[in-house]
């Protein structure tokens, strides 16, 4: 129905049809909302309510357990598949075994606090026998809080969300426990690039154009020369490269989902295509990769299924009846990286993702424009980039101390 308003346009309100509400044990009818801009929005809201009610999931029962609530929340989760699958093991392995049998109405902030402390102090078989870290416990808290939000409010099962007054690990505690991953400076990166582009020199080698010895050299170079994530580089497309300006649109990513992987649209940076700019030297590397890919396509024939990917699955050790040309398995890419890392004697814990940290840190250390560094990293602000990266404290602190001592004439005292 239309609701007259004074001093502003009228709005539309929606009331539910009369129905039995298990939460209060009798028939009920209440307002869904009164601030819909037009009749169409109001009708959509009523249709959604009726659809949810028909599924039997609208109003939770007073005897609903937390395990049932978490299952219901996961089922209705509207985020990306990768996000939902990140929550699923936390619900299955930690929340349901310890709190799953409790009724939702029995869960209090004190119970949640005890649960969080237990996770932080009790060895977990899912974490190599160590207690969960603060960041993992905070993720578990976020999932519980989001699930409680679906049953909290007027005419719902709970009046207040018990997670709101619970005490999960704080941001400061999380930051204190964050591991410090290694980075390579510019000289170490240059040495690495020189090494990975050395062909094997065997009799069958043709400088890597068809031989497998340099098959990953363009891929590792792309990680080292840009601040892209693993999934983003694997999703680069030939038709999204502007060869004149050096711009690369990041429209696709290759992501892991459970025990498999798939190519999907990039949604991390919003609806607009994220764009990075690269040097002509990297474009030369990508042209070499294109030539190598043409050789692969000619050799494999019908075994190549074109997807337009820059770093597509090639024909090396291709299974019988297998197909090349599609996205690469991210986990196998990481496994090949570990082999290359060990061969070139890089730090043992230097992950593929640490190329991103190295690139951003080196740019900041060399006084590059932090606005551009942040934009190329697709961060929300330069402040975040500078706080998160550029953490080579000793070098910067020594320069600061020397500069300060020179300004105040400290060297002339004794």
């Amino acid at each position: 129905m239309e609701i007259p308003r004074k001093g502003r346009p009228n709005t539309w309100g929606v009331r539910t049809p009369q129905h039995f509400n298990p939460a209060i044990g009798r028939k009920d009818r209440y307002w869904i909302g009164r601030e819909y801009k037009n009749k169409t929005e109001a009708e959509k809201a009523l249709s959604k309510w009726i659809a949810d009610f028909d599924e039997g999931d609208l109003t939770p029962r007073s005897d609903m357990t937390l395990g049932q609530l978490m299952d219901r929340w996961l089922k209705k989760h509207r985020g990306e598949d990768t996000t939902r699958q990140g929550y699923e093991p936390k619900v299955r392995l930690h929340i349901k075994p310890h709190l799953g049998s409790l009724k939702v109405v029995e869960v209090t902030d004190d119970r949640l606090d005890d649960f969080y402390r237990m996770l932080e102090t009790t060895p977990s078989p899912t974490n190599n026998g160590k207690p969960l870290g603060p960041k993992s416990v905070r993720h578990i808290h976020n999932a519980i809080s989001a699930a409680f939000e679906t049953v909290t409010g007027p005419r719902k099962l709970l009046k207040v969300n018990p997670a709101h007054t619970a005490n999960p690990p704080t941001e400061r505690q999380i930051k204190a426990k964050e591991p410090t991953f290694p980075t390579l400076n510019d000289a170490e990166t240059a040495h690495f690039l020189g090494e990975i582009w050395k062909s094997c020199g065997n009799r069958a080698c043709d400088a890597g154009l068809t031989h497998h010895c340099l098959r990953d050299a363009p891929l590792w170079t792309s990680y080292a020369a840009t601040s892209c994530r693993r999934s983003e580089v694997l999703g680069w497309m030939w038709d999204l490269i502007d060869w004149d300006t050096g711009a690369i649109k990041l429209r696709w990513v290759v992501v892991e989902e459970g025990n498999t992987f798939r190519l999907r649209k990039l949604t991390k940076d919003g609806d607009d295509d994220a764009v990075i700019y690269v040097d002509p030297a990297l474009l030369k590397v990508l042209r070499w990769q294109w030539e190598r890919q043409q050789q692969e396509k000619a050799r494999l024939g019908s075994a190549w299924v074109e997807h337009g990917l820059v770093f597509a699955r090639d024909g090396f050790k291709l299974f019988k009846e297998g197909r090349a040309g599609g996205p690469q398995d991210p986990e196998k890419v990481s496994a090949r990286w570990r082999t290359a890392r060990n061969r070139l004697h890089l730090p043992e814990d230097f992950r593929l993702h640490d190329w991103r940290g190295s690139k951003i840190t080196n740019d900041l250390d060399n006084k590059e424009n932090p606005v551009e560094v942040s934009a190329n990293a697709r961060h929300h602000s330069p402040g975040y980039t500078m706080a998160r990266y550029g953490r080579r404290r000793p070098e910067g602190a020594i320069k600061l101390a020397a500069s300060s001592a020179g300004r105040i004439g400290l060297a002339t005292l004794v």
Side-chain angles (χ1 to χ4, degrees), residues 70-125:
M70 298 307 303
D71 289 340
R72 175 176 176 264
W73 174 73
L74 277 176
K75 177 184 175 183
K76 289 176 170 281
H77 195 276
R78 298 290 299 275
E80 293 291 338
D81 290 343
T82 49
T83 303
R84 185 171 61 254
Q85 292 188 8
Y87 282 125
E88 190 277 332
K90 293 179 173 63
V91 172
R92 174 170 48 85
L93 299 175
H94 301 294
I95 299 175
K96 293 174 75 172
H98 298 288
L99 300 178
S101 60
L102 286 177
K103 292 182 180 180
V104 171
V105 294
E106 296 174 341
V107 180
T108 64
D109 51 1
D110 286 337
R111 282 183 180 267
L112 292 177
D113 287 343
D114 293 341
F115 173 56
Y116 300 150
R117 299 297 88 76
M118 183 272 296
L119 293 178
E120 292 178 290
T121 57
T122 305
S124 171

Side-chain angles (χ1 to χ4, degrees), residues 174-242:
I174 293 172
K175 190 173 183 179
K177 288 291 186 178
E178 281 185 347
T180 301
F181 292 103
T183 58
L184 300 186
N185 59 32
D186 286 334
E188 293 167 329
T189 301
H191 175 74
F192 166 79
L193 293 176
E195 291 296 316
I196 64 165
W197 280 96
K198 289 182 179 178
S199 56
C200 63
N202 291 342
R203 182 169 54 184
C205 181
D206 58 352
L209 195 58
T210 59
H211 196 245
H212 63 80
C213 62
L214 297 184
R215 65 189 290 249
D216 282 328
L219 180 59
W220 305 149
T221 303
S222 297
Y223 285 117
T226 69
S227 52
C228 287
R229 304 171 179 91
R230 180 185 68 173
S231 60
E232 294 167 347
V233 174
L234 294 180
W236 284 4
M237 294 279 189
W238 290 117
D239 62 354
L240 297 179
I241 299 176
D242 188 327

